Amino acid sequence: MADLCPYPTSEPESVFPREVGLFADYFSEKSRFCFCGHVLSITQNFGSRLGVAARVWDAALSMCNYFENQNVDFRDKKVIELGAGTGIVGILAALQGGDVTITDLPLALEQIQGNVQANVPAGGRVQVRALSWGIDQHVFPGDYDLVLGADIVYLEPTFPLLLGTFRHLCGPRGTIYLASKVREEHGTESFFQHLLPQYFQLELAWRDEDKNVNIYRARHREPRPA
């Protein structure tokens, strides 16, 4: 269970953090998380360069919890994760038997690759590649069984690019899993209520009340030609 590895907690008695690294422009933090019987050691490289890609967000943890609680089957599935950040979701999918491609912008790939090497045994079916939504998705195949994304719906100008990327990557009978923090100010609700349903059958698969995260499941409205 996920609660076997409690998340790191800060010490409340001091107003100022004791770690000298917290005052640097760049510092790393390693955390442990437990899902599906795996202990994941995830390094987060904080600094202005990586920005939002640096940390493990609540939506990623909620998605991992969902996969564990629902016993989602990754065995021999062709899987791709978008906007992976630390790569924790894709890493779990690989450890559960998936043939996984973990993607993000080029600046995040070094962090992802480090976490893959720290967690996936030699011979594991996982690769790390750059993918810019709406630009180069067509260099990837269009037959993924599972397309994963945790907290990637938060910038409205990217919504059409993300939608086009989903349409290409998701196979004719594939499934998209999206974990999203509910943020009205970022237009998240509009994406799930109006944009995505134009092309996909969408359902709310699970809600994490504690973290205010929704897990959505989407499939093509009509089978595409193979």
Side-chain angles (χ1 to χ4, degrees):
M1 297 295 292
D3 58 1
L4 293 180
C5 290
Y7 307 144
T9 57
S10 59
E11 298 181 357
E13 66 270 14
S14 175
V15 174
F16 299 101
R18 296 176 180 177
E19 294 85 351
V20 175
L22 293 179
F23 296 100
D25 292 334
Y26 175 93
F27 69 97
S28 295
E29 179 179 292
K30 184 177 292 185
S31 302
R32 291 197 315 154
F33 306 93
C34 293
F35 298 104
C36 305
H38 306 288
V39 179
L40 307 182
S41 177
I42 301 296
T43 297
Q44 303 166 84
N45 296 305
F46 294 98
S48 58
R49 180 172 176 269
L50 282 180
V52 297
R55 64 171 294 182
V56 176
W57 294 93
D58 283 346
L61 300 180
S62 295
M63 177 168 276
C64 290
N65 267 318
Y66 172 80
F67 291 156
E68 179 177 48
N69 294 336
Q70 299 299 314
N71 195 26
V72 174
D73 186 8
F74 290 99
R75 291 171 297 176
D76 299 321
K77 296 291 198 304
K78 190 172 182 179
V79 183
I80 188 167
E81 182 187 4
L82 306 184
T86 63
I88 185 172
V89 172
I91 288 169
L92 180 62
L95 292 174
Q96 288 293 95
D99 182 356
V100 181
T101 301
I102 303 177
T103 71
D104 207 322
L105 296 175
L107 58 82
L109 299 188
E110 183 178 355
Q111 173 173 266
I112 297 170
Q113 190 64 58
N115 284 327
V116 167
Q117 292 173 353
N119 291 279
V120 181
R125 293 180 298 172
V126 59
Q127 57 179 314
V128 178
R129 296 179 60 184
L131 193 166
S132 298
W133 307 337
I135 297 175
D136 56 8
Q137 69 267 21
H138 294 288
V139 305
F140 292 79
D143 60 349
Y144 286 97
D145 300 306
L146 297 170
V147 180
L148 313 178
D151 228 351
I152 61 174
V153 181
Y154 61 91
L155 289 176
E156 286 195 70
T158 69
F159 290 176
L161 306 177
L162 184 57
L163 185 59
T165 302
F166 285 149
R167 294 182 66 194
H168 171 73
L169 295 175
C170 187
R173 301 193 180 279
T175 300
I176 300 170
Y177 284 104
L178 295 173
S180 184
K181 180 82 80 170
V182 179
R183 301 184 182 94
E184 294 182 6
E185 68 275 15
H186 290 166
T188 306
E189 186 175 344
S190 174
F191 180 84
F192 288 107
Q193 289 191 358
H194 304 294
L195 289 180
L196 198 59
Q198 292 178 25
Y199 301 99
F200 294 91
Q201 294 178 336
L202 182 69
E203 61 179 321
L204 178 62
W206 187 61
R207 172 160 173 78
D208 186 337
E209 292 287 352
D210 293 336
K211 292 183 170 60
N212 191 30
V213 170
N214 289 342
I215 307 287
Y216 296 95
R217 182 169 49 227
R219 297 184 175 93
H220 283 287
R221 286 197 168 276
E222 297 179 0
R224 299 184 305 163

